[in-house]
């Protein structure tokens, strides 16, 4: 019997997922009464065959796949090239490098006897067709950072981060994919399947039903959902409160190569708007989705590409980027103050602070802040009065398609429904 069982096992001798030292030891244990599904790498067909050989009841195969809980590149991957992961950890991390992420030296790939793991440009790639869920790469010590986990093969939601840093600003600065442990996903999950562990979110797949509530509510938009288009699972998108285009060249002529450098210069001495977009594109560099581009000297957001992660809002030193409703939002693309008596002469898109829009809004959704108008999107009912009343014609309304994957629908979605 042992020989027949052994012939049905994968025979890697040994992945160690069953807890035995060899495949033969696993076969002997099954013959002695252990579960016919003891080997985690066995397919359902193999488990059924083992059940027939032993004359015991069939069991469900443990159909899992390895998952690397890190999708960033902030752990010093380039610097550690040519070393082992253990050597890299022993050497230590520099300021600005994630201490908890994948180092990209590939120690884990050496544990896989099925050729399911590869190191590509410093990223560990798992081939789902080759991975049989043996668990060797996820065993204690296989990954020095403890990033590899076994999850159900049918899982559709993933949180590719294992950050344990409690400093949110540091996480945002270091990695665009870093979980900040805010807990929004925990509160959004109707099944209680998400929890915060060591300052990052973790999914309990025994409870997860595959809805997209956590994906929708994630501030950083790092929760991966393989069933739905992430760009449609959003309530708000980024908006740049400046539509001017006279600043970019002036800042470049003054020697500024980044927005951060431009923000330190005296814009009034340069004869340009003191509060507008500098046009140097710092925000474009942090956007993982290609949703922001500098067009004619001013940053512009493509609402269809934006997923609402907010990374750009932290990158803008002028604090011009805010989150607005994805659908039917009205916006005043100007935060100009009263630094100039004639603001219109400095920027053809400047709000001159006349307050006509605020005075005529029937819902009280517009107010004046430091000599420019601001629309409160929570109160605005899209009546369009402000657009008609604005003498400068700068109040915009973005028309976007209405998608079905909004939060209300997402919370109601369940597998099989």
């Amino acid at each position: 019997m042992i020989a027949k069982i052994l012939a049905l096992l994968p025979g890697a001798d040994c992945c160690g997922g069953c807890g035995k030292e060899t495949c033969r030891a696993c076969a002997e244990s099954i013959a002695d009464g252990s579960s016919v599904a003891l080997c985690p790498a066995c397919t359902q067909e193999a488990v059924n065959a083992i059940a027939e050989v032993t004359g015991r009841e069939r069991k469900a195969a443990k159909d899992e796949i390895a998952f690397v809980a890190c999708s960033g590149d902030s752990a010093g991957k380039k610097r550690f090239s040519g070393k082992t992961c253990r050597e890299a950890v022993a050497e230590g991390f520099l300021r600005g490098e994630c201490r908890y992420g994948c180092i990209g030296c590939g120690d884990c790939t050496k544990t896989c006897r099925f050729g399911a793991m590869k190191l590509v440009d410093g990223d560990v790639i798992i081939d789902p067709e080759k991975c049989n869920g043996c668990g060797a790469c996820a065993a204690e010590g296989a990954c020095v950072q403890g990033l590899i986990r076994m999850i159900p093969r049918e899982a559709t939601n993933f949180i590719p981060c294992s950050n344990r840093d409690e400093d949110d600003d540091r996480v945002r600065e270091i990695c665009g994919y870093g979980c900040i442990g805010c807990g929004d996903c925990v509160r959004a999950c109707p099944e209680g399947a998400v929890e915060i562990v060591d300052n990052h979110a973790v999914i309990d797949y025994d409870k997860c039903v595959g809805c997209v509530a956590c994906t929708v509510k994630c501030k950083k938009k790092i929760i991966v959902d393989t069933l739905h288009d992430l760009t449609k699972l959003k309530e708000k998108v980024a908006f740049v409160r400046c539509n001017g285009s006279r600043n970019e060249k002036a800042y470049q002529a003054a020697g500024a190569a980044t927005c951060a450098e431009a923000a330190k210069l005296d814009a009034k001495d340069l004869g340009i708007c003191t509060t507008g977009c500098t046009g140097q594109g710092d925000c474009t560099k942090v956007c993982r989705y290609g949703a922001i581009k500098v067009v004619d000297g001013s940053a512009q957001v493509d609402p269809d590409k934006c997923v609402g992660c907010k990374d750009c809002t932290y990158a803008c030193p002028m604090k011009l980027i805010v989150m607005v409703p994805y659908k039917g939002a009205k916006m005043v693309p100007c935060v100009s103050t009263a630094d100039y008596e004639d603001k219109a002469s400095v920027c053809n898109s400047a709000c001159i602070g006349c307050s006509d829009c605020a005075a005529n809004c029937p819902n009280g959704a517009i107010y004046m802040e430091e000599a420019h108008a601001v629309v409160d999107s929570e109160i605005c009912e899209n009546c369009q009065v402000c657009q008609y009343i604005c003498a400068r014609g700068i109040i915009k309304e973005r028309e976007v398609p209405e998608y079905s994957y909004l939060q209300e629908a997402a919370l109601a979605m369940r597998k099989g429904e």
Side-chain angles (χ1 to χ4, degrees):
M1 180 188 293
I2 293 175
K4 290 182 178 180
I5 295 174
L6 184 59
L8 294 169
L9 299 179
D13 208 18
C14 171
C15 64
C18 63
K20 306 299 178 181
E21 293 184 358
T22 64
C23 286
R24 183 172 184 82
C26 179
E28 291 173 349
S29 181
I30 294 174
D32 287 341
S34 293
S35 172
V36 294
L38 178 62
C39 175
C42 275
T43 62
Q44 188 63 59
E45 183 180 2
V47 171
N48 292 344
I50 292 173
E52 291 182 12
V53 169
T54 59
R56 299 206 298 271
E57 184 181 350
R58 292 182 177 184
K59 298 287 185 180
K62 198 172 184 179
D63 195 12
E64 294 184 323
I65 190 172
F67 168 64
V68 182
C70 176
S71 61
D73 57 356
S74 306
K77 289 183 178 180
K78 294 180 180 178
R79 189 167 63 85
F80 292 133
S81 179
K83 299 180 180 180
T84 67
C85 295
R86 293 189 180 279
E87 289 173 343
V89 171
E91 182 176 321
F93 300 95
L94 301 177
R95 179 177 177 80
E97 293 178 345
C98 177
R99 294 168 288 173
Y100 311 105
C102 177
I103 300 163
C105 296
D107 289 11
C108 56
T109 63
K110 299 169 186 174
T111 67
C112 182
R113 305 194 181 192
F114 302 97
M117 304 180 79
K118 289 184 179 180
L119 192 63
V120 180
D121 296 329
D123 293 323
V124 176
I125 306 298
I126 296 175
D127 185 337
E129 299 299 322
K130 292 182 178 180
C131 179
N132 59 15
C134 72
C137 59
E140 185 176 355
C143 172
V144 69
Q145 295 285 69
L147 299 175
I148 304 179
R149 299 158 192 173
M150 302 308 296
I151 63 174
R153 190 176 293 273
E154 64 175 11
T156 57
N157 293 348
F158 315 93
I159 303 177
C161 179
S162 300
N163 166 62
R164 298 195 292 277
D165 198 324
E166 296 181 357
D167 188 337
D168 294 356
D169 291 335
R170 173 182 157 82
V171 175
R172 288 190 175 98
E173 178 185 347
I174 291 176
C175 182
Y177 300 89
C179 175
I180 58 175
C182 66
D184 281 359
C185 53
V186 176
R187 291 183 286 274
C189 181
E191 305 296 330
V194 188
E195 61 179 330
I196 301 297
V197 179
D198 292 333
N199 212 56
H200 64 272
V202 177
I203 296 175
D204 182 343
Y205 289 102
D206 289 333
K207 297 179 181 178
C208 179
V209 295
C211 77
V212 291
C214 60
T215 307
V216 171
K217 276 299 183 181
C218 177
K219 282 187 176 76
K220 295 288 299 288
K221 292 297 180 286
I222 64 168
I223 301 179
V224 179
D225 180 277
T226 58
L227 288 181
H228 309 95
D229 183 349
L230 185 60
T231 62
K232 298 176 184 179
L233 299 174
K234 57 192 174 190
E235 296 172 308
K236 293 187 176 183
V237 293
F239 168 63
V240 183
R241 294 185 295 171
C242 178
N243 200 34
S245 58
R246 299 185 184 181
N247 297 354
E248 179 187 25
K249 293 182 179 179
Y251 279 121
Q252 289 175 350
T258 66
C259 296
E261 292 176 356
K264 296 177 182 178
L265 299 176
D266 190 331
K268 198 163 186 179
D269 284 348
L270 300 176
I272 56 178
C273 179
T274 58
T275 55
C277 176
T278 67
Q280 306 308 307
D282 287 13
C283 54
T284 66
K285 298 169 187 174
V286 301
C287 182
R288 295 166 273 154
Y289 304 95
I292 309 180
K293 292 183 179 180
V294 174
V295 180
D296 295 330
S298 181
Q300 295 183 15
V301 178
D302 182 337
D304 290 329
K305 290 183 178 179
C306 177
V307 300
C309 70
K310 298 185 181 179
D311 283 352
C312 57
T313 65
Y314 299 101
C316 178
M318 305 300 287
K319 305 302 179 186
L320 292 173
I321 307 179
V322 295
M323 305 306 293
V324 299
Y326 175 49
K327 185 175 66 172
K330 282 189 174 58
M331 303 153 289
V332 181
C334 179
V335 293
S336 177
T337 62
D339 287 347
Y340 289 94
E341 185 175 343
D342 183 7
K343 291 192 287 185
S345 66
V346 178
C347 178
N348 54 13
S349 299
C351 172
I352 58 176
C354 67
S355 74
D356 285 354
C357 54
N360 287 277
C361 178
N363 303 304
I366 303 179
Y367 59 94
M368 304 305 295
E369 181 179 275
E370 295 185 353
H372 67 270
V374 178
V375 178
D376 186 335
S377 59
E378 300 297 327
I379 301 176
C380 177
E381 295 184 359
N382 298 315
C383 67
Q384 299 184 340
V385 169
C386 59
Q387 289 176 268
Y388 291 114
I389 209 71
C390 178
R392 301 274 293 161
I394 65 170
I395 300 179
K396 308 294 182 183
E397 178 177 12
R398 184 179 61 246
E399 294 183 4
V400 295
E402 182 175 355
Y403 291 111
S404 59
Y405 296 128
L406 297 176
Q407 184 191 6
E408 295 81 6
L411 290 173
M413 292 177 68
R414 296 291 186 275
K415 279 187 178 179
E417 292 186 2

